[in-house]
Amino acid sequence: MVEIKTESALEAMREAGRVVAQALAAAREAAAVGVSLRELDEAARTVLAEAGARSPFLGYRPSFAPPPVPAV
């Protein structure tokens, strides 16, 4: 079934995409030899927090994984 999106739903999706792009760009800019994964996570986490967003991955626990995902 195809769901037709409203203009407001499309704009919300665009904005979410912009935030994701900013988070990925921040992680990419922070990436360098010697930078820890924790530091990359913090760069992305900061962008999400400033946008009032949250990560759908943080705390996600698939049935095959013992611990939940600890990072954004």
Side-chain angles (χ1 to χ4, degrees):
M1 173 153 107
V2 175
E3 181 180 335
I4 305 298
K5 304 290 186 198
T6 64
E7 190 56 41
S8 63
L10 289 172
E11 184 51 40
M13 293 168 69
R14 284 186 199 101
E15 182 57 29
R18 288 183 195 107
V19 172
V20 169
Q22 291 169 353
L24 291 172
R28 183 180 58 240
E29 289 172 18
V33 174
V35 173
S36 70
L37 292 177
R38 185 173 301 239
E39 291 169 295
L40 297 179
D41 179 66
E42 189 56 41
R45 189 181 296 255
T46 298
V47 170
L48 293 178
E50 288 173 355
R54 63 180 182 81
S55 170
F57 303 109
L58 183 61
Y60 173 65
R61 185 174 184 254
S63 61
F64 59 83
V69 176
V72 300

